[in-house]
Amino acid sequence: MTDVAALQQQLSAAGYIAERSLTAALLLMIELGRPLLVEGDAGVGKTEVAKALATVRRTRLIRLQCYEGLDAHAAMYEWNYQRQLLAIKLLEHDERSVGAKEQDIFSERYLLKRPLLEAITCERPPVLLIDEVDRADEAFEAYLLELLSDFQMSIPELGTIKATSVPLVVVTSNATRELSDALRRRCLYQYVDYPSFEKELAIVELRAPEAAGELARQVVQFVQSARRMDLRKKPGVAETLDWTAALLRLGVASVGEGEVERILETLSTLVKTREDRTAFTREVVARMAAAC
């Protein structure tokens, strides 16, 4: 319990407010050397977990942003074909055997390290963030299994490369598709929901101390009310902080009935789709501001 509280304080000092359950999951990830799968809606702070952990551990953050069509070469390694072709040209008059020449051409000096290979070959354990893994396809998940279970990577021309140091792996998912059971079995699991009023207020006061007090309370209450609306894209914590910054920039000291025009002018930081914007009519915003 003392270790959990200490890590919680360290994360807070790094600018991240974490519940005890998430902090305990991070601590288990560190102690057991297992990847942590963090799942939740977009904007709840999943990516920031890895950033804050890297700050706390005073180590590198290596990020792999997943996307549709991502393949092993873009994520793990590629060969520097231009340099290899030049080497082949230079070796034309080399009297060594073909096998010796191939061994020279397919050596590590011609290998371009991508995020996954870079993470396992660092001297000091980095934090490896595999962000939005659900955006990649199931074939890419299969490539990840060897890395997540044994922290090694198979390269046909070089053989198996084992980890120099075991990275702290955070895998995030927005749950846009179901992940494979094989991937889930290799990870610890933590679900991150939208923050409670108290947690979001603490985040705003930590990240935007100029807004601490009444303005921060009103901002969080307004955003929490917005999340209860039938929106296509509910505002996340990042949107809350952006809106707070916009209000401060415009000199708004209070979110009340008298500031409806200012609220409407700054909704571009909070609402991100056309359909959702039409839901925030002047009357709706006035009612929400009055409730704050």
Side-chain angles (χ1 to χ4, degrees), residues 266-279:
T266 56
L267 281 180
S268 59
T269 61
L270 196 64
V271 183
K272 300 301 177 70
T273 71
R274 181 182 179 184
E275 296 89 337
D276 292 346
R277 180 63 183 83
T278 58

Side-chain angles (χ1 to χ4, degrees), residues 157-176:
E157 298 85 354
L158 294 178
T160 300
I161 296 180
K162 297 183 180 295
T164 305
S165 61
V166 177
L168 300 174
V169 184
V170 177
V171 184
T172 72
S173 169
N174 294 334
T176 56

Side-chain angles (χ1 to χ4, degrees), residues 220-255:
V220 173
Q221 189 166 337
F222 189 97
V223 174
Q224 297 258 329
S225 297
R227 290 195 190 115
R228 291 192 288 270
M229 297 171 63
D230 185 19
L231 300 178
R232 177 181 170 187
K233 168 68 174 70
K234 297 183 185 298
V237 177
E239 283 74 31
T240 304
L241 295 173
D242 286 345
W243 190 44
T244 303
L247 293 173
L248 289 170
R249 182 68 181 82
L250 293 178
V252 178
S254 173
V255 177

Side-chain angles (χ1 to χ4, degrees), residues 1 8 35 57 75 113 135 203 205 213 231 237 245 249 257:
M1 291 178 65
Q8 202 170 20
R57 303 285 291 183
K113 295 180 181 180
R135 291 183 180 272
I203 293 171
E205 291 181 336
L231 300 178
V237 177
R249 182 68 181 82
E257 291 181 88

Side-chain angles (χ1 to χ4, degrees), residues 34-37 148 169 171 182-189:
R34 295 279 300 281
L36 174 64
L37 171 60
L148 297 180
V169 184
V171 184
L183 177 66
R184 290 183 180 276
R185 281 198 306 271
R186 285 163 171 78
C187 300
L188 306 178
Y189 178 81

Side-chain angles (χ1 to χ4, degrees), residues 42-264:
V44 296
K46 302 183 299 298
T47 300
E48 294 299 319
V49 171
K51 294 180 179 179
L53 184 61
T55 300
V56 168
R57 303 285 291 183
R58 297 180 181 179
T59 190
R60 286 184 61 193
L61 172 69
I62 298 176
R63 180 175 181 174
L64 172 64
Q65 179 62 54
C66 297
Y67 54 86
E68 186 177 355
L70 176 65
D71 60 14
H73 293 299
M76 298 181 182
Y77 69 93
E78 287 184 281
W79 290 106
N80 191 331
Y81 296 116
Q82 288 78 14
R83 286 192 63 197
Q84 285 178 317
L85 288 172
L86 179 60
I88 290 171
K89 187 69 176 175
L90 294 173
L91 291 173
E92 283 182 353
H93 303 293
D94 195 311
E95 297 181 356
R96 290 181 297 167
S97 66
V98 173
K101 292 179 182 179
E102 287 182 350
Q103 190 173 9
D104 183 53
I105 292 170
F106 288 102
S107 60
E108 288 196 30
R109 65 175 140 170
Y110 298 108
L111 192 65
L112 299 175
K113 295 180 181 180
R114 297 310 181 205
L116 299 184
L117 180 58
E118 187 178 1
I120 66 171
T121 54
C122 286
E123 290 297 326
R124 187 176 180 211
V127 172
L128 171 61
L129 170 62
I130 303 175
D131 210 10
E132 298 183 320
V133 70
D134 52 318
R135 291 183 180 272
D137 54 29
E138 293 182 4
F140 179 71
E141 279 188 42
Y143 287 122
L144 283 178
L145 299 182
E146 182 181 16
L147 176 76
L148 297 180
S149 59
D150 300 322
F151 292 103
Q152 65 182 31
M153 190 178 298
S154 297
I155 298 178
E157 298 85 354
L158 294 178
T160 300
I161 296 180
K162 297 183 180 295
T164 305
S165 61
V166 177
L168 300 174
V169 184
V170 177
V171 184
T172 72
S173 169
N174 294 334
T176 56
R177 70 170 177 84
E178 183 59 37
L179 302 178
S180 68
D181 290 341
L183 177 66
R184 290 183 180 276
R185 281 198 306 271
R186 285 163 171 78
C187 300
L188 306 178
Y189 178 81
Q190 181 68 29
Y191 183 82
V192 178
D193 205 349
Y194 287 106
S196 64
F197 179 89
E198 292 75 15
K199 178 183 175 181
E200 193 159 20
L201 179 59
I203 293 171
V204 172
E205 291 181 336
L206 178 66
R207 301 291 290 273
E210 331 69 290
E214 185 64 16
L215 178 59
R217 186 193 64 78
Q218 291 176 329
V219 164
V220 173
Q221 189 166 337
F222 189 97
V223 174
Q224 297 258 329
S225 297
R227 290 195 190 115
R228 291 192 288 270
M229 297 171 63
D230 185 19
L231 300 178
R232 177 181 170 187
K233 168 68 174 70
K234 297 183 185 298
V237 177
E239 283 74 31
T240 304
L241 295 173
D242 286 345
W243 190 44
T244 303
L247 293 173
L248 289 170
R249 182 68 181 82
L250 293 178
V252 178
S254 173
V255 177
E257 291 181 88
E259 298 292 349
V260 173
E261 287 299 327
R262 294 290 186 91
I263 294 173
L264 288 169

